[in-house]
Amino acid sequence: MHFASDTTSPAHPSVIEALARANTGYLGSYGADPIMDEVRARVRDVFEAPEAAVYLVTTGSIANALSLATFCPPWGAVYCHRHAHIETDECGAPEFYTGGAKLVLIDGENGKMDPENLRDALANPVTPDVHLVQRGMVSITNVTEFGTVYTPAEIAKLTGIAREYDLPVHLDGARFANAIVASGASPADMTWRAGVDVLSFGGTKNGLMGVEAVVIFDPDRAWEFELRRKRGGHLMSKHRFLSAQMRAYLADDLWQGLARNANEMGGRLAQGIAASQSAALKFPTDANMVFANWPRGIHRTAQSAGAVYGIWPFDQPLQGPDEEVLSARLVCSWSTTEKDVDEFLNLL
Amino acid sequence: MHFASDTTSPAHPSVIEALARANTGYLGSYGADPIMDEVRARVRDVFEAPEAAVYLVTTGSIANALSLATFCPPWGAVYCHRHAHIETDECGAPEFYTGGAKLVLIDGENGKMDPENLRDALANPVTPDVHLVQRGMVSITNVTEFGTVYTPAEIAKLTGIAREYDLPVHLDGARFANAIVASGASPADMTWRAGVDVLSFGGTKNGLMGVEAVVIFDPDRAWEFELRRKRGGHLMSKHRFLSAQMRAYLADDLWQGLARNANEMGGRLAQGIAASQSAALKFPTDANMVFANWPRGIHRTAQSAGAVYGIWPFDQPLQGPDEEVLSARLVCSWSTTEKDVDEFLNLL
Amino acid sequence: MHFASDTTSPAHPSVIEALARANTGYLGSYGADPIMDEVRARVRDVFEAPEAAVYLVTTGSIANALSLATFCPPWGAVYCHRHAHIETDECGAPEFYTGGAKLVLIDGENGKMDPENLRDALANPVTPDVHLVQRGMVSITNVTEFGTVYTPAEIAKLTGIAREYDLPVHLDGARFANAIVASGASPADMTWRAGVDVLSFGGTKNGLMGVEAVVIFDPDRAWEFELRRKRGGHLMSKHRFLSAQMRAYLADDLWQGLARNANEMGGRLAQGIAASQSAALKFPTDANMVFANWPRGIHRTAQSAGAVYGIWPFDQPLQGPDEEVLSARLVCSWSTTEKDVDEFLNLL
Amino acid sequence: MHFASDTTSPAHPSVIEALARANTGYLGSYGADPIMDEVRARVRDVFEAPEAAVYLVTTGSIANALSLATFCPPWGAVYCHRHAHIETDECGAPEFYTGGAKLVLIDGENGKMDPENLRDALANPVTPDVHLVQRGMVSITNVTEFGTVYTPAEIAKLTGIAREYDLPVHLDGARFANAIVASGASPADMTWRAGVDVLSFGGTKNGLMGVEAVVIFDPDRAWEFELRRKRGGHLMSKHRFLSAQMRAYLADDLWQGLARNANEMGGRLAQGIAASQSAALKFPTDANMVFANWPRGIHRTAQSAGAVYGIWPFDQPLQGPDEEVLSARLVCSWSTTEKDVDEFLNLL
């Protein structure tokens, strides 16, 4: 009954096997390994983007921060949802890497930026004004931090507004696989065809040890990205071990298979909660994350029975009046089982 | 006959096994895994430093950059050897992480800072002067970039000069294991007892997939280090996979065993070159790196026969007059064999 | 009828005379002029703060940015009003100088931070969490950007909340003289006695050519401030010309006299508007800035009759339906006359 | 007998008069004053550069730092003389504004970069290499920090080498007027016709209170410059007072007249020293700065007789053996008189 995060899961066994297979002989370092050539080709294939630049890094935060820094100047505003990961969970990495860009927070229900709010934020100022931070870029998260999933059409609506101001668009896809499985959209439809310029394509939360790809659809900025990655200390010397993980992830659509399990378990959990009398869903459960409300007393019971999950936001403490309603954040992963879910539901 | 770098080697097989063993069940993320508790205790034990703060990161560049940024203000000067890795191979990561500190380059033979040169550089200005970058910290590399090894006494001489100005000292130990094996010194004698405040303790070049520890002997700065690591995008979520590598590295002194082989192969190579009529050593070979001179014609022959190594500096091209003398940079690793070395020597 | 900004006014004639008087012979540069010694003593006297460090710079933005950077780390959050100058008018200077700190926007009526909103923002997270930007400092503006004035008690309420978290407090006093005159409080009561650690003490908007003082009540950070000022390119070589302006400003309480006129003209303007049938005040007019609403048609009439002022926010254009109500931002200065005000009121 | 620096001089009286004349009525702020339009036109005329972008700032350090930051990326190397002002006197402002670029120091006699040394520094690495700081830009100082003056041909030689690598070139002209007068070259010949892209055109050391122009010959980067200036806190609100100074400076070639006096006094001083038996010139005296050697005993005598100047480098103390030879740095300004010079020479 472990639902604390998809990052507390192990890696998929095939990933470890892939590392073992890659661990023979001498190979070019710093990305010059032939496995990376395969990965690059495979990613381009998956995204139907034969020109895309593809890079591997070890954390989602850095995939995001380097993407932002490559496309947004220090005096730029990054428009993102008020609860975007880049705003709330990265200790200011975007500000650090961009050299001090400003995150402008856009509200919207269920973790999705409201297009009208984005439009309003972009509409002013009416003229170039040196006193203001300039419009820089837009960053969208899919799956959102609240577990909802944008459709390609919803993404395109936001990127269309960005395009009116010639702004580039970043997609934080730490849970991109879950969004693809949930929406049934193709990777191309969810990204460049919907107006996305650069994607953080997550692997770590979905069965890898620690690899994220950055996919830059317009390769003009690729060399700058490489310099920023190196300068950030993020160019791995024994790069083959990142490549091997990503190759395994993409082989036989493993990435989608793992996400499918996570999403199915998320759905099962949500369904059980919705049917319960003591609990209520807080947001729609589109993928593998469930937010739900129930009284503190039940939290206490569940956690003492071994359920592991966060009380949202900020890991609120269990002390306090029994009847006060607190929100649970429950995350399923590739390794969550029906048994886990059902045992948990029984506790409620 | 692969001597291009210790980073083109595979990982030691026990490292992959360690990952497989760590890959079961749910574990706390972001460094809250119990394996890290073991690693911390073991590092403290190895360094006889029960209070030391211990952190894991994935590259040597970031181990260095975070160490510098934590101890040197943006307006500080970092005194290092003209050929230090932080100056020549990190694309300005130290400048980026410190917020623009200045590296002041100290000359000295065989890749070692000359104490008198360090003293001279520190001696001016004679008064605090707001127009100048201020004295910030000293960074020493052991094994040096030229393959030589400082003794603890040599380190203490440099740190003693730094102490006259109350400057903290960083040791770049990307090849720390090789320095320990070469010198026979204890880790404590080579570091805090010799006046070192913070150490980059390398693993990647010596048999790991991609893990370096940072050891901060005075833990007062530990929390700042953690914030800088997170902000740099370097806090791994599935941290257990770093911990597991480092645990394996320290178990049964594997780290010293691997370095011993690398150093022995370095010595064997140097001996053979010294005995050759066509070649001459460029620097003393104290550990696993050999720098030697021979004519371009022989470089051409060796490389076409399958020898892989760099022509130093900056991978000079093989085109040009046969008789011109060029320098080879040959690096042995944990996986270099006597056969590799002897085959190569036969080519000369 | 010029109400565009207090920065479009000339300097007070005595300031030019002061420059002329200071322009004789050789004087120490970079702050070593004896006039600065007088200024430092006089500022300490005015603020009843014999230990305070006092520095001069040329713009309000840099007074603010250096103050923030000296007291808030790169990973800190600066809590300020949503419409604070540091958020809306400095093109990200605070982010640049702090190395990427994050401005957290606090709402509150009439341009004042609501203490409860500040308390809520500070209350979470409940534990130290490396994923989050850390609590850094609080920045208050007096006179606010909406022309209202905090009393010392209101300031103390906010600083008291900051103190619960050991946060330092900055006061942006670009219009500090106007706030002092409006409130009748002493400079000490408005600043350090109310819990302020560092003050931007404006002169430019109130009759100087371009000088602001920074007053650091706890001088421990003074040297760091000096280094940051120099590094920002803000240490003037012929510093005597800043000192001379500030000396003239403080002599015979000129600063308060000039602010008194500006405030009185602001009051006269507000009274006239309040009495008008076509217009309504938007915020209370505590000092020299008046915000008021009236229909676009009247804006058009007034501006074509020669009135100069901004249509707030962001200089909205005059095109559009006549009856739509738009806000005017009218700023009086030391040089505004009753005639200016009355002519303007006649236009309404 | 004041030769400490050209920044200890007063401003020329006509500058104060110009301020007084500009101090009437309301004028657009932040550079929108009509005086700036005149200045822009006049600078373009002086430089025969009708497209040039022209900006005013208050210190030489910021003119340099903004110029570098606008043309050199954070991962770039700035090639400059080992004794360039940007390296030795700005507390790391270039590193701060560029976001961590690296200054690469080029040696050369008499304060001038040796073209062959520049060529060598640029020649390596032979291929793009992500591990290295990239070639960024070249910065030349004229008058040099040692008082020598490059001819346009010498400048063109350096810029030609820069052009082989498509590098932009900055000219630090804190004493540009002195260089023009000394060389007899036209401003255009000394700058864009010689391959300079951006110029710091100094006024402060030559009779202004505190104004430097930045002249960007290719205006494509102008908007970025404006944003960086604002973000650095360097956009003056009452900008008319910078404009008025610069207008006065350019009127009737005042700037050249003032520099002519400074240079003539420098020459007179140098001639007297060269003729003396106790002293010897250290560098050729091309403009207004004289470096010369004589024994400490004479320094002591001169300074106790009222001569004010620096003992170079770093204001060495007067204590020590009488016969030890120390270097004097003597700077003449627009206000130095023959009497000052002759009195000083009598002391030797």
Side-chain angles (χ1 to χ4, degrees):
Chain A
M1 292 189 299
H2 199 105
F3 303 100
S5 170
D6 26 22
T7 60
T8 55
S9 308
H12 189 264
S14 71
V15 172
I16 308 288
E17 287 159 26
L19 291 175
R21 272 197 310 277
N23 194 39
T24 52
Y26 294 88
L27 282 188
S29 42
Y30 298 111
D33 55 288
I35 310 175
M36 185 60 202
D37 295 333
E38 289 181 51
V39 166
R40 194 179 298 109
R42 181 75 183 115
V43 169
R44 288 171 171 175
D45 197 46
V46 165
F47 284 89
E48 306 170 53
E51 305 294 327
V54 182
Y55 298 106
L56 303 182
V57 292
T58 55
T59 74
S61 289
I62 195 57
N64 292 340
L66 288 174
S67 296
L68 300 178
T70 302
F71 283 87
C72 182
W75 47 83
V78 177
Y79 300 84
C80 64
H81 192 273
R82 178 175 302 281
H83 291 278
H85 198 271
I86 58 172
E87 166 68 10
T88 63
D89 284 277
E90 301 182 356
C91 194
E95 287 89 344
F96 175 50
Y97 275 91
T98 57
K102 186 186 285 287
L103 273 59
V104 174
L105 308 180
I106 307 295
D107 286 303
E109 289 196 356
N110 299 328
K112 295 183 184 178
M113 273 194 272
D114 183 293
E116 289 317 303
N117 290 344
L118 177 61
R119 189 181 295 282
D120 287 351
L122 286 168
N124 275 312
V126 291
T127 51
D129 182 339
V130 80
H131 298 267
L132 307 177
V133 169
Q134 307 293 300
R135 297 177 191 105
M137 79 186 299
V138 172
S139 179
I140 307 169
T141 312
N142 206 15
V143 179
T144 73
E145 294 303 310
F146 291 168
T148 53
V149 173
Y150 288 98
T151 64
E154 288 174 316
I155 303 250
K157 180 130 197 198
L158 295 171
T159 66
I161 297 167
R163 279 297 174 267
E164 293 173 25
Y165 297 97
D166 290 325
L167 302 188
V169 178
H170 166 246
L171 188 67
D172 176 358
R175 294 185 180 93
F176 187 75
N178 305 85
I180 288 297
V181 166
S183 65
S186 78
D189 284 349
M190 188 63 95
T191 56
W192 63 268
R193 277 204 203 104
V196 170
D197 297 281
V198 57
L199 167 71
S200 300
F201 175 44
T204 311
K205 290 179 194 286
N206 190 33
L208 297 188
M209 280 171 40
V211 181
E212 318 280 304
V214 174
V215 187
I216 307 179
F217 293 106
D218 172 353
D220 276 2
R221 306 277 184 112
W223 177 235
E224 178 176 333
F225 182 93
E226 290 195 45
L227 290 163
R228 289 186 182 277
R229 177 177 60 167
K230 173 64 192 176
R231 190 168 170 81
H234 282 283
L235 177 57
M236 297 282 285
S237 56
K238 293 185 173 175
H239 187 279
R240 65 166 99 179
F241 296 113
L242 301 189
S243 307
Q245 291 184 61
M246 185 52 72
R247 182 171 61 178
Y249 190 59
L250 296 173
D252 305 320
D253 288 335
L254 176 66
W255 63 294
Q256 295 202 22
L258 299 178
R260 189 162 293 115
N261 180 75
N263 285 9
E264 285 173 2
M265 293 306 103
R268 188 181 187 96
L269 192 55
Q271 221 167 359
I273 288 169
S276 140
Q277 293 191 331
S278 51
L281 292 174
K282 189 174 173 71
F283 303 116
T285 302
D286 292 345
N288 65 320
M289 286 194 289
V290 181
F291 288 78
N293 292 330
W294 54 73
R296 181 183 270 112
I298 299 184
H299 284 293
R300 209 178 271 132
T301 310
Q303 299 210 352
S304 59
V308 183
Y309 60 87
I311 300 185
W312 185 87
F314 299 126
D315 292 324
Q316 309 277 345
L318 281 181
Q319 305 94 299
D322 262 24
E323 63 283 5
E324 191 187 355
V325 171
L326 300 175
S327 298
R329 173 182 177 272
L330 304 143
V331 191
C332 297
S333 78
W334 71 270
S335 66
T336 307
T337 62
E338 293 191 0
K339 184 162 163 289
D340 289 334
V341 172
D342 295 345
E343 274 182 24
F344 180 79
L345 290 173
N346 282 339
L347 288 178
L348 300 184
Chain B
M1 292 188 299
H2 200 105
F3 303 100
S5 170
D6 26 21
T7 61
T8 55
S9 308
H12 189 264
S14 71
V15 171
I16 308 289
E17 287 160 27
L19 291 174
R21 272 198 309 277
N23 194 39
T24 53
Y26 295 88
L27 283 187
S29 41
Y30 298 112
D33 54 287
I35 309 176
M36 185 60 202
D37 296 334
E38 288 182 51
V39 166
R40 193 180 298 108
R42 180 76 183 113
V43 168
R44 288 171 170 173
D45 197 47
V46 164
F47 284 88
E48 306 170 53
E51 304 294 327
V54 182
Y55 299 106
L56 303 182
V57 292
T58 55
T59 73
S61 290
I62 195 56
N64 291 340
L66 289 175
S67 297
L68 299 179
T70 303
F71 283 87
C72 183
W75 47 82
V78 177
Y79 300 84
C80 65
H81 192 273
R82 178 174 302 280
H83 292 276
H85 198 271
I86 58 173
E87 165 68 10
T88 63
D89 284 276
E90 301 181 357
C91 194
E95 286 90 344
F96 174 50
Y97 275 90
T98 56
K102 187 187 285 289
L103 274 59
V104 173
L105 309 180
I106 307 296
D107 286 303
E109 289 195 356
N110 299 327
K112 296 183 185 177
M113 275 194 273
D114 184 294
E116 288 317 303
N117 290 343
L118 176 62
R119 187 181 296 281
D120 287 351
L122 286 168
N124 273 312
V126 291
T127 52
D129 182 340
V130 81
H131 298 266
L132 307 178
V133 169
Q134 307 294 299
R135 298 178 191 104
M137 79 185 298
V138 172
S139 179
I140 307 170
T141 313
N142 206 14
V143 178
T144 73
E145 295 303 309
F146 291 167
T148 53
V149 174
Y150 287 97
T151 63
E154 286 174 316
I155 302 251
K157 179 130 197 199
L158 295 171
T159 66
I161 297 168
R163 279 296 173 270
E164 294 173 26
Y165 298 97
D166 289 325
L167 302 188
V169 177
H170 166 245
L171 187 67
D172 176 357
R175 295 185 179 92
F176 187 75
N178 305 84
I180 288 298
V181 165
S183 66
S186 78
D189 284 349
M190 187 63 94
T191 57
W192 63 268
R193 279 204 202 104
V196 170
D197 297 279
V198 57
L199 168 70
S200 300
F201 175 42
T204 311
K205 290 180 194 285
N206 190 35
L208 297 188
M209 279 172 40
V211 180
E212 317 279 305
V214 175
V215 186
I216 307 179
F217 294 105
D218 172 353
D220 276 1
R221 307 277 184 109
W223 178 236
E224 178 176 333
F225 182 93
E226 289 195 46
L227 290 162
R228 290 186 180 276
R229 177 177 61 166
K230 174 64 192 174
R231 191 168 170 80
H234 283 284
L235 177 57
M236 298 282 286
S237 56
K238 293 184 172 174
H239 186 279
R240 65 167 97 177
F241 297 113
L242 300 190
S243 307
Q245 291 184 59
M246 185 53 73
R247 182 171 61 177
Y249 191 58
L250 296 172
D252 304 322
D253 288 335
L254 177 66
W255 63 295
Q256 294 202 22
L258 298 179
R260 189 162 294 116
N261 181 74
N263 285 9
E264 286 172 3
M265 292 306 103
R268 186 181 188 95
L269 192 54
Q271 221 168 1
I273 288 168
S276 140
Q277 293 192 330
S278 50
L281 293 174
K282 191 174 171 70
F283 302 118
T285 301
D286 292 346
N288 65 320
M289 286 195 289
V290 180
F291 288 77
N293 292 329
W294 53 75
R296 181 183 270 115
I298 299 183
H299 284 294
R300 210 178 271 135
T301 310
Q303 299 210 352
S304 59
V308 182
Y309 61 86
I311 300 185
W312 187 85
F314 300 127
D315 292 325
Q316 308 278 345
L318 282 180
Q319 304 96 299
D322 263 26
E323 62 283 5
E324 191 186 355
V325 171
L326 299 175
S327 298
R329 173 181 179 272
L330 303 143
V331 190
C332 298
S333 79
W334 71 270
S335 65
T336 306
T337 61
E338 293 191 0
K339 186 163 161 290
D340 289 333
V341 172
D342 295 346
E343 274 182 26
F344 181 79
L345 290 173
N346 282 339
L347 288 178
L348 300 183
Chain C
M1 292 188 298
H2 201 105
F3 303 100
S5 171
D6 27 22
T7 61
T8 55
S9 308
H12 189 265
S14 71
V15 172
I16 307 289
E17 287 158 27
L19 291 175
R21 272 198 308 279
N23 195 37
T24 52
Y26 295 88
L27 283 187
S29 42
Y30 299 112
D33 54 286
I35 310 175
M36 185 60 203
D37 295 334
E38 288 182 52
V39 166
R40 193 180 297 108
R42 180 76 184 115
V43 169
R44 288 171 172 174
D45 196 46
V46 165
F47 284 89
E48 306 170 53
E51 305 293 327
V54 182
Y55 298 107
L56 302 182
V57 293
T58 55
T59 72
S61 290
I62 194 57
N64 291 340
L66 288 175
S67 296
L68 300 178
T70 302
F71 283 87
C72 182
W75 46 84
V78 177
Y79 300 84
C80 63
H81 192 273
R82 178 175 302 282
H83 292 278
H85 198 271
I86 58 172
E87 167 66 10
T88 64
D89 284 277
E90 301 182 357
C91 193
E95 287 89 344
F96 174 51
Y97 275 90
T98 57
K102 186 187 286 289
L103 273 58
V104 174
L105 309 181
I106 307 297
D107 285 305
E109 289 194 355
N110 299 328
K112 296 183 184 177
M113 276 194 272
D114 184 293
E116 288 317 303
N117 289 345
L118 176 62
R119 188 182 294 283
D120 287 352
L122 286 169
N124 275 312
V126 292
T127 51
D129 182 339
V130 81
H131 298 266
L132 307 177
V133 169
Q134 307 295 299
R135 298 177 192 104
M137 78 186 298
V138 172
S139 178
I140 307 170
T141 312
N142 207 14
V143 179
T144 74
E145 294 303 310
F146 291 167
T148 52
V149 173
Y150 288 98
T151 63
E154 287 174 316
I155 302 251
K157 180 132 195 195
L158 295 171
T159 66
I161 298 167
R163 280 295 174 269
E164 293 173 25
Y165 298 97
D166 291 325
L167 301 189
V169 178
H170 166 245
L171 187 68
D172 177 357
R175 296 185 178 92
F176 187 75
N178 306 84
I180 288 298
V181 166
S183 65
S186 78
D189 284 349
M190 188 63 96
T191 56
W192 63 268
R193 277 203 204 104
V196 170
D197 297 281
V198 58
L199 167 71
S200 300
F201 175 43
T204 311
K205 291 179 196 284
N206 190 34
L208 297 188
M209 281 172 38
V211 180
E212 317 280 304
V214 175
V215 187
I216 308 178
F217 294 105
D218 172 353
D220 277 1
R221 305 278 183 112
W223 177 236
E224 178 176 333
F225 182 93
E226 290 196 45
L227 290 162
R228 290 186 181 275
R229 177 176 61 166
K230 172 65 192 174
R231 191 169 169 80
H234 283 284
L235 178 56
M236 297 282 285
S237 56
K238 293 184 173 175
H239 187 280
R240 64 166 100 176
F241 297 113
L242 301 189
S243 307
Q245 291 185 60
M246 186 51 74
R247 183 172 60 178
Y249 191 58
L250 297 173
D252 304 320
D253 288 334
L254 176 66
W255 63 294
Q256 295 201 22
L258 299 179
R260 188 162 294 115
N261 180 75
N263 285 9
E264 284 172 3
M265 293 306 103
R268 188 180 186 93
L269 191 55
Q271 222 168 356
I273 288 169
S276 140
Q277 292 193 332
S278 51
L281 293 174
K282 192 174 171 71
F283 303 117
T285 301
D286 292 345
N288 65 321
M289 286 194 290
V290 181
F291 288 77
N293 292 330
W294 52 76
R296 182 184 269 112
I298 300 185
H299 283 294
R300 210 179 272 134
T301 309
Q303 299 210 350
S304 57
V308 183
Y309 61 88
I311 301 187
W312 185 87
F314 299 126
D315 293 324
Q316 308 277 345
L318 281 180
Q319 305 94 300
D322 262 25
E323 62 283 7
E324 192 186 355
V325 170
L326 300 174
S327 299
R329 173 183 178 273
L330 303 144
V331 190
C332 298
S333 78
W334 71 270
S335 64
T336 306
T337 62
E338 294 191 1
K339 183 162 163 289
D340 289 334
V341 172
D342 295 345
E343 274 182 25
F344 181 79
L345 289 173
N346 282 339
L347 289 178
L348 300 184
Chain D
M1 291 188 298
H2 200 105
F3 304 100
S5 169
D6 25 23
T7 60
T8 56
S9 307
H12 189 264
S14 71
V15 172
I16 307 290
E17 288 159 28
L19 292 174
R21 273 197 308 278
N23 195 38
T24 52
Y26 295 88
L27 283 188
S29 41
Y30 298 113
D33 53 288
I35 310 175
M36 185 60 202
D37 295 335
E38 289 182 51
V39 166
R40 194 180 297 107
R42 181 77 184 112
V43 168
R44 287 171 172 174
D45 197 46
V46 164
F47 283 89
E48 306 170 50
E51 305 293 327
V54 182
Y55 299 106
L56 302 183
V57 292
T58 54
T59 73
S61 290
I62 194 57
N64 291 340
L66 288 174
S67 297
L68 299 179
T70 302
F71 283 87
C72 182
W75 47 83
V78 177
Y79 300 85
C80 64
H81 191 273
R82 178 175 303 280
H83 293 277
H85 198 271
I86 58 173
E87 166 67 11
T88 64
D89 284 277
E90 302 181 357
C91 194
E95 287 88 345
F96 174 50
Y97 275 90
T98 56
K102 187 187 284 289
L103 273 58
V104 174
L105 308 180
I106 307 295
D107 286 304
E109 289 195 355
N110 299 328
K112 297 182 184 177
M113 275 195 271
D114 184 295
E116 288 317 303
N117 290 344
L118 176 61
R119 188 181 295 282
D120 287 352
L122 286 168
N124 275 313
V126 291
T127 53
D129 182 339
V130 81
H131 298 267
L132 307 178
V133 169
Q134 306 293 299
R135 298 178 191 104
M137 80 186 298
V138 171
S139 179
I140 307 171
T141 312
N142 206 15
V143 179
T144 72
E145 294 303 309
F146 291 167
T148 53
V149 174
Y150 287 98
T151 64
E154 287 174 317
I155 302 251
K157 180 132 196 193
L158 295 171
T159 66
I161 297 167
R163 279 298 173 267
E164 293 174 26
Y165 297 97
D166 290 324
L167 302 188
V169 177
H170 166 247
L171 187 67
D172 176 356
R175 296 186 180 91
F176 187 75
N178 305 85
I180 288 297
V181 165
S183 66
S186 78
D189 284 349
M190 187 63 96
T191 57
W192 62 269
R193 279 204 202 104
V196 170
D197 297 280
V198 58
L199 168 71
S200 301
F201 175 43
T204 311
K205 291 180 195 286
N206 189 35
L208 298 187
M209 278 170 41
V211 181
E212 317 279 305
V214 175
V215 187
I216 308 180
F217 294 104
D218 172 353
D220 277 1
R221 307 278 183 109
W223 178 235
E224 178 175 334
F225 183 93
E226 290 194 44
L227 290 162
R228 289 187 181 275
R229 178 178 58 166
K230 173 65 191 174
R231 192 169 169 80
H234 283 283
L235 177 57
M236 298 283 285
S237 56
K238 294 185 173 173
H239 186 280
R240 66 167 98 178
F241 297 113
L242 301 190
S243 307
Q245 291 185 60
M246 185 52 74
R247 182 171 61 178
Y249 191 56
L250 296 173
D252 304 321
D253 288 335
L254 177 65
W255 63 294
Q256 295 201 21
L258 298 179
R260 188 161 295 116
N261 180 76
N263 285 9
E264 284 172 4
M265 294 305 104
R268 187 181 188 94
L269 192 54
Q271 222 167 358
I273 289 169
S276 137
Q277 293 192 331
S278 52
L281 293 174
K282 191 175 171 70
F283 303 117
T285 301
D286 292 345
N288 65 321
M289 285 195 289
V290 181
F291 288 78
N293 293 329
W294 54 73
R296 180 182 272 113
I298 299 184
H299 285 293
R300 209 177 272 132
T301 309
Q303 299 210 350
S304 58
V308 182
Y309 60 86
I311 300 186
W312 187 85
F314 301 125
D315 293 324
Q316 307 279 345
L318 282 180
Q319 305 95 302
D322 262 25
E323 63 284 5
E324 192 186 355
V325 171
L326 299 175
S327 299
R329 174 181 178 272
L330 303 144
V331 191
C332 297
S333 79
W334 71 270
S335 65
T336 306
T337 62
E338 293 191 1
K339 183 161 163 290
D340 288 334
V341 172
D342 295 346
E343 274 182 26
F344 180 79
L345 290 173
N346 282 338
L347 288 177
L348 300 184

